[in-house]
Amino acid sequence: MTATPAPTAPATASASENPRDRAPEGAPATAPAAAPATATPAEFAPLDIGPIRVWPPVVLAPMAGITNAPFRTLCREQSGGKGLYVSEMITTRALVERNAKTMQLIKFDPSEKPRSIQLYGVDPVTVGKAARMISDEGLADHIDLNFGCPVPKVTRKGGGSALPYKRNLLREILREAVANAGDLPVTMKMRKGIDDDHLTYLDAGRIGAEEGVAAIALHGRTAAQHYGGTADWSAIARLREAVPAHVPVLGNGDIWSADDALRMMRGTGCDGVVVGRGCLGRPWLFKDLVSIFEGDVDYARPDFGYVARAMVRHAQLLGEWLGDEARGVIDFRKHVAWYTKGFSVGSELRVKLANSSSLAELAGTLALVEQTQTWPIGADGPRGRTSGNGRVVLPEGWLDDPYDCARPGDDAESDTSGG
C-alpha cells in the first residue's frame, strides 16, 4: 500500500528517506559507540529457502498483533526491500474455514515479494488442507510452521512449543504440509523444548530434515523460559551440526542490534538470523542489518524527529489497512513505549501518546517533544516481554510418552488467527 503524508506535522517519512540521513544539526553522523565489526566480502552466503534467495540472510519473526502488513511495509522500506518478512501467525483451521479476520491477516501489499505466511496447526489433515489452499490459490510464496509459541493458552492444548515433544505427531504434520504445499518451500520455527528436562530441538530438527523442510529456525530458549533470561546460542550451533548441511539453520533470540546478528552467525555457524523483539519500535534495524552484512560501518541512529515521523506513518498505515483511522491509531498504542524508549518524553506526554485516538492528536502530541534529541545510549536493549514462566501448562499426561499417538483436542486450535 502507498501511504499519503500525515495531515499534520510531523510529516510521515517517505519510503526513500532513512533515519541515517537525518542527523540533527551539530550532531555526529554516526553513533557515539564504537562502530561494530562488519561482514567481509563473501563471508556469508545468501539464504536459500527452496527457490527463494534471501539477502541479507535476515528474516522478520512472526509476532502476533505486530507483523501485519503495515509493520512489514515499514521494515521493508528501511531495508530497501531486502530480507524476508513473515506474517503474523495464521491458524490453519481458521484459514480453511475462511474466517473473515484470518482472510484480512493474509492480505499482502502488492510490493511484498516474496509473500510469507506462518501457519499454526495441531491436526495433520487440517495443516495439509491449509498448505494446499495456499498453494492452489497462490496466497503466498512460502509457508512457515509454528512450533515455538510458549503462551499457556496454546501449550495447555498441546500446541506451539509443546507439540514437538510428540515426535510422531510432529512428523505427520510436517509430512502433510510438505506434501500439499506443491512447489512452495515449507520451513519450521521452534524452541529448544518444553524445559531443560524435556529438550526436543535436536530430534525435531532431524525429523524436519527427513520430511523435507526447506529451513529450520531455532529460538534459543525453552517454553519454560518464555522470553526471560538469555537465549542459548550454543543450542543453535548444536542444531547446525545435527542436521544435514543442505538444510539452512536460522538462529533466533536476543538480536537487539545488527552486530548481535553478526556475532550469532559467526559464533554458531548458522545460515541466517530471525529478528523478533529487537525490531519493536525499531523498524530501521533492518537498514542496519543490510549495512552490516554489506560491509558498511558508517551508520547512525535516528533523532527523535525521525522517530516521530515513523510513528505517525506506522499509525497511518494501520488505519489504511484496517479501513478506519481511529482503529489504526488505537491499534498503534501498544507500539508507543517501544518507539519512545530512552528518549526524554515525560510521563504526561507518554500517557497522552498512549491514549491518542486520531492521527492529528498523535502527531500534535509528538510535536511537543524535543525533535532534535539524539539517539539515547542503551536504547537498543531488550523490549517487549522479558519474563519467564518457570512452568509450562500442558495437557494431562502429555509427557508420559514422546512417541504415543495422542492428538490435541478440537479446541486446541481456534477459529481465529493472530495469536
Side-chain angles (χ1 to χ4, degrees):
M1 64 187 67
T2 301
T4 56
T8 58
T12 57
S14 68
S16 61
E17 182 180 15
N18 77 64
R20 308 308 186 255
D21 297 332
R22 294 200 64 264
E25 185 177 355
T30 56
T38 60
T40 57
E43 181 179 1
F44 299 109
L47 174 64
D48 289 326
I49 300 178
I52 299 171
R53 173 153 288 194
V54 181
W55 179 259
V58 173
V59 178
L60 168 65
M63 291 180 282
I66 303 295
T67 58
N68 46 39
F71 187 71
R72 297 195 304 268
T73 293
L74 291 174
C75 295
R76 285 197 336 275
E77 287 176 355
Q78 293 293 329
S79 73
K82 298 179 180 180
L84 181 66
Y85 303 88
V86 187
S87 76
E88 52 188 308
M89 187 178 77
I90 301 300
T91 304
T92 55
R93 174 184 160 196
L95 181 62
V96 170
E97 295 178 355
R98 298 183 185 274
N99 171 271
K101 177 183 176 183
T102 296
M103 300 311 288
Q104 166 72 9
L105 290 176
I106 65 169
K107 288 183 179 178
F108 290 91
D109 185 86
S111 65
E112 291 192 70
K113 297 291 182 182
R115 301 160 300 161
S116 180
I117 286 181
Q118 188 186 64
L119 295 180
Y120 163 77
V122 296
D123 174 61
V125 173
T126 306
V127 171
K129 289 179 178 178
R132 181 167 293 277
M133 177 179 169
I134 293 170
S135 176
D136 288 351
E137 299 181 20
L139 300 178
D141 307 301
H142 162 234
I143 297 171
D144 184 53
L145 297 177
N146 181 316
F147 300 112
C149 182
V151 302
K153 72 175 183 179
V154 170
T155 60
R156 68 163 48 97
K157 304 293 179 59
S161 53
L163 197 146
Y165 187 75
K166 299 297 188 182
R167 273 70 165 177
N168 291 335
L169 176 58
L170 174 68
R171 186 181 294 278
E172 289 183 35
I173 289 174
L174 291 170
R175 183 170 295 176
E176 287 294 320
V178 172
N180 285 280
D183 295 331
L184 304 186
V186 175
T187 60
M188 61 187 290
K189 187 173 186 289
M190 60 184 180
R191 284 181 172 242
K192 289 173 59 181
I194 292 172
D195 53 35
D196 287 339
D197 294 324
H198 301 90
L199 299 177
T200 57
Y201 70 102
L202 294 179
D203 280 352
R206 295 186 188 103
I207 291 170
E210 290 166 3
E211 294 303 326
V213 299
I216 303 169
L218 176 64
H219 184 156
R221 288 181 171 89
T222 63
Q225 286 181 277
H226 211 65
Y227 295 94
T230 302
D232 178 12
W233 289 4
S234 67
I236 298 167
R238 287 191 288 274
L239 180 64
R240 176 61 283 174
E241 295 173 353
V243 301
H246 72 273
V247 179
V249 169
L250 287 71
N252 177 224
D254 294 349
I255 297 178
W256 306 110
S257 65
D259 40 325
D260 288 335
L262 211 60
R263 288 193 303 105
M264 175 184 279
M265 290 192 67
R266 285 173 171 163
T268 67
C270 68
D271 304 283
V273 297
V274 179
V275 179
R277 292 175 299 151
C279 66
L280 296 177
R282 305 287 187 268
W284 44 84
L285 174 56
F286 291 94
K287 165 68 167 64
D288 287 348
L289 287 162
V290 171
S291 295
I292 204 168
F293 277 102
E294 295 186 351
D296 182 4
V297 298
D298 187 24
Y299 62 80
R301 303 286 188 246
D303 62 11
F304 189 79
Y306 183 85
V307 173
R309 288 192 295 278
M311 292 173 70
V312 175
R313 175 165 171 73
H314 191 167
Q316 181 185 13
L317 287 170
L318 282 167
E320 293 175 350
W321 182 65
L322 293 169
D324 184 278
E325 177 185 308
R327 285 181 62 199
V329 174
I330 291 170
D331 189 77
F332 177 74
R333 290 174 179 175
K334 60 177 171 278
H335 297 269
V336 168
W338 299 327
Y339 274 104
T340 59
K341 179 182 177 181
F343 287 100
S344 179
V345 176
S347 58
E348 184 177 341
L349 289 181
R350 286 183 190 276
V351 171
K352 286 191 66 176
L353 289 170
N355 288 284
S356 298
S357 56
S358 71
L359 285 174
E361 183 181 1
L362 176 65
T365 304
L366 287 167
L368 299 175
V369 181
E370 175 55 54
Q371 304 291 294
T372 60
Q373 291 183 62
T374 55
W375 187 257
I377 295 175
D380 288 329
R383 292 176 302 288
R385 296 165 291 184
T386 57
S387 61
N389 283 357
R391 185 176 75 90
V392 183
V393 183
L394 298 167
E396 184 177 355
W398 191 254
L399 297 177
D400 291 349
D401 182 354
Y403 295 100
D404 70 11
C405 295
R407 292 286 190 277
D410 292 339
D411 60 347
E413 188 174 334
S414 72
D415 59 359
T416 58
S417 300

